[in-house]
Amino acid sequence: MSRLIVVSNRVASITEGKSSAGGLVVGVLDALRETGGIWLGWSGTLEPKLKLNPFSERHENIEFLTVPLTKRDYDRYYRGFSNGVLWPTFHYRIDLSLYTRIDYMGYLEVNRKFAQILASTVEEDDHIWVHDYHLIPLGKACRDLGIQNKTGFFLHIPFPSPSVLRTIPPHRELVESMCAYDLLGFQTDNDVQAFLDYAARCLGATVTGNVVQLGDRITRVGAYPIGIHPEQVKSLSKESVHTKPLATLKAGLLDRKLIVSVDRLDYSKGLVERFNAFEQLLETSPQYRGKVTFVQIAPPSRQDVQGYRQIRRQLESTAGRINGKWTELSWTPIRYMNRSYDRGLLMAIFRTSQVGLVTPLRDGMNLVAKEYIASQPAHDPGVLVLSEFAGAAAEMRNGAVMVNPYDLQGMADGLHRALSMPLEERKSRYEHLMAVLKQNDLSTWRDRFLSDLAA
Ligand code: GDG
């Protein structure tokens, strides 16, 4: 019988699974729980020597296979090429990209190492599903070792337009290696289009509809927008709404309205722009002074990558400046929490709030936007204010208040609109969005991808 083998940079550790901050882990863990299978990835630990025999741990129907990296792998593959070049460039921040050939070589080496582990794990009918930018060349490395299994790749982050992608020196080799997969999945049609443009214009591949032919290899390409389990999120938000931490938050708010944002602390999420937009609201709409609190939860991530230390300092100083200017004895406008919280508590905070502010400068999808809506009470729902540059905008633009995160006054206007929206309009937007989330939930995402891979 064919098994599903998922490969991603990190796997959810069994104990970490529930509270981890990161869309890929949240999405893949939930998707694998239903089908069962094998999940291979980095253990998150560093060891002096390269190891090819993974540590195996079974939890219910999932077998977790993990390997440590060496410090050198970590510096070159993870910190260097993946998070120092691919992440910024794919999010259009070429100013933050720092390419070195040595990092790229390290990136290829770790991908070959994962392919070797797969070669000793895979059985004839297994299907392999590779995730995200750390492992772009894994399909090609597998083919080089003679692995002929059906192999698909899903990119969780945006695929940039060819002119941006071409700033990465080995861009051609990278995209060529994507053509070793049988199926390529992206979050939105825009990403699919950007890939097809590159394949046709820069690789000279034959593109017919959503099928790319390069040499004798045929790759199908499609948009598979990742979803959530809306009913599970709803129950979680209801259960956690009566807990002590939430009661404390509510008591501190008095009767003020609550705007909430939750993001990994990352420069792609538009946090500084968002803080400034909130200040713009206080500046231009004095009726909100003392009447609205903005809570930003931003668990730290990738703190040893240069761009991340910078954004953290910048945010602290922006929050400090705004609070210094506007705070009164009884009111602090921005409550900025640089730590992670229990998932249930987050969903309950969403449920309690009047506005969910999700304004990335670029985002593959953004699961927080979906979780925010699923957490709302149907009789009195909050409003989602959403960036047009989140992948989620493709599905949610008709129910959310759409904003351009580069337009401070536009964002302040969006906040005003959300804060003052009549109940009937909030309900009809919420109902529309819930229908969208249910129609394209996490199981649909997984099933569509896997059945296309099997076809
Ligand atoms: C990548 C792509 C794409 C956040 N803080 C805490 C916490 N979280 C959870 C959220 C959500 C997840 O982490 C974040 O997911 P996003 O989708 O918003 O963003 P990325 O981490 O950048 O994910 C993204 C995603 O992959 C999936 O394909 O949507 O575009 O960049 O679930 O709730 N969870 C807990 N505590 C926190 O403090 N427990």
Side-chain angles (χ1 to χ4, degrees):
M1 208 184 80
S2 95
R3 302 174 305 173
L4 173 62
I5 305 185
V6 168
V7 195
S8 61
N9 171 58
R10 285 297 303 274
V11 307
S13 91
I14 292 165
T15 45
E16 190 188 47
K18 270 202 150 170
S19 65
S20 70
L24 185 149
V25 166
V26 172
V28 172
L29 182 65
D30 275 6
L32 252 179
R33 271 198 186 117
E34 285 175 35
T35 54
I38 296 173
W39 191 353
L40 167 67
W42 173 35
S43 58
T45 56
L46 299 181
E47 279 182 26
K49 277 246 161 69
L50 197 93
K51 275 196 186 147
L52 287 179
N53 50 330
F55 177 70
S56 157
E57 204 175 359
R58 177 167 275 284
H59 188 67
E60 291 166 9
N61 55 354
I62 308 176
E63 184 184 0
F64 293 86
L65 291 182
T66 51
V67 275
L69 292 179
T70 64
K71 174 76 170 64
R72 203 179 80 155
D73 291 338
Y74 177 79
D75 286 340
R76 297 177 179 179
Y77 149 84
Y78 180 77
R79 223 159 58 94
F81 194 70
S82 296
N83 288 314
V85 177
L86 292 176
W87 178 274
T89 308
F90 280 39
H91 289 88
Y92 289 77
R93 289 299 304 269
I94 49 181
D95 57 316
L96 295 178
S97 170
L98 270 176
Y99 173 79
T100 70
R101 196 172 285 187
I102 272 196
D103 287 346
Y104 180 55
M105 293 302 141
Y107 175 77
L108 294 178
E109 197 178 307
V110 171
N111 272 271
R112 282 195 295 267
K113 179 171 153 184
F114 274 113
Q116 277 171 282
I117 297 170
L118 272 176
S120 58
T121 309
V122 75
E123 292 171 9
E124 199 179 320
D125 291 329
D126 291 348
H127 290 174
I128 303 173
W129 190 5
V130 179
H131 289 261
D132 231 3
Y133 60 101
H134 313 86
L135 300 174
I136 291 174
L138 181 58
K140 164 86 168 49
C142 285
R143 302 293 183 222
D144 290 346
L145 293 179
I147 300 174
Q148 291 307 327
N149 296 59
K150 291 247 162 90
T151 304
F153 175 81
F154 183 77
L155 184 68
H156 289 254
I157 65 175
F159 192 85
S161 67
S163 54
V164 171
L165 185 56
R166 282 173 41 222
T167 61
I168 300 177
H171 58 93
R172 194 184 165 89
E173 188 177 79
L174 264 181
V175 187
E176 254 171 20
S177 72
M178 291 174 83
C179 297
Y181 290 102
D182 298 297
L183 178 65
L184 289 174
F186 297 93
Q187 299 273 25
T188 67
D189 287 332
N190 277 344
D191 301 308
V192 169
Q193 206 46 56
F195 176 81
L196 295 177
D197 278 357
Y198 183 97
R201 287 203 275 139
C202 307
L203 293 185
T206 309
V207 175
T208 318
N210 275 18
V211 177
V212 173
Q213 179 163 10
L214 186 68
D216 55 4
R217 273 220 71 88
I218 300 213
T219 303
R220 283 164 300 141
V221 183
Y224 302 86
I226 193 169
I228 58 168
H229 286 309
E231 292 301 339
Q232 280 177 21
V233 171
K234 182 181 267 308
S235 324
L236 191 60
S237 73
K238 278 190 192 163
E239 282 161 25
S240 312
V241 97
H242 302 295
T243 54
K244 196 159 172 233
L246 202 79
T248 315
L249 171 76
K250 275 185 167 167
L253 283 174
L254 303 172
D255 277 334
R256 292 185 192 105
K257 289 196 169 175
L258 176 61
I259 301 173
V260 65
S261 296
V262 173
D263 315 74
R264 277 186 310 98
L265 183 46
D266 192 296
Y267 49 79
S268 65
K269 303 288 183 184
L271 288 100
V272 174
E273 291 77 1
R274 184 185 304 160
F275 281 21
N276 288 329
F278 179 65
E279 182 180 32
Q280 185 78 6
L281 175 79
L282 300 178
E283 194 85 60
T284 53
S285 304
Q287 69 272 28
Y288 293 118
R289 296 178 199 163
K291 299 284 191 293
V292 180
T293 297
F294 170 33
V295 166
Q296 170 73 61
I297 295 173
S301 73
R302 305 174 197 162
Q303 291 175 87
D304 51 354
V305 178
Q306 175 59 26
Y308 289 78
R309 289 193 291 270
Q310 217 169 303
I311 180 76
R312 185 172 178 166
R313 279 197 302 273
Q314 217 180 339
L315 260 185
E316 278 162 7
S317 79
T318 309
R321 182 188 60 72
I322 297 172
N323 279 341
K325 179 167 171 193
W326 297 95
T327 297
E328 292 163 13
L329 283 176
S330 59
W331 171 61
T332 308
I334 300 182
R335 293 172 63 178
Y336 167 46
M337 276 94 93
N338 191 207
R339 49 161 287 194
S340 71
Y341 284 86
D342 169 76
R343 183 164 168 81
L345 179 61
L346 287 186
M347 303 306 133
I349 298 176
F350 290 161
R351 190 175 178 85
T352 310
S353 71
Q354 282 65 46
V355 178
L357 187 55
V358 181
T359 55
L361 304 176
R362 280 286 156 182
D363 219 328
M365 175 55 60
N366 197 298
L367 293 180
V368 171
K370 296 188 169 183
E371 291 161 351
Y372 181 79
I373 289 300
S375 302
Q376 295 310 304
H379 65 279
D380 185 17
V383 179
L384 175 67
V385 175
L386 181 62
S387 159
E388 56 187 87
F389 301 116
E395 294 161 273
M396 302 181 86
R397 68 169 59 255
N398 288 332
V401 171
M402 297 304 298
V403 293
N404 179 335
Y406 297 94
D407 176 5
L408 287 196
Q409 187 58 51
M411 276 204 279
D413 293 346
L415 279 174
H416 170 58
R417 194 154 165 232
L419 286 165
S420 58
M421 192 176 283
L423 179 62
E424 281 317 304
E425 184 178 348
R426 284 192 275 130
K427 277 185 175 167
S428 90
R429 284 171 180 262
Y430 162 80
E431 280 156 20
H432 168 77
L433 286 173
M434 270 308 264
V436 170
L437 296 188
K438 284 180 187 166
Q439 203 193 351
N440 188 30
D441 67 2
L442 190 60
S443 307
T444 314
W445 169 72
R446 177 202 55 210
D447 294 345
R448 278 189 56 228
F449 188 93
L450 291 179
S451 75
D452 285 356
L453 179 63

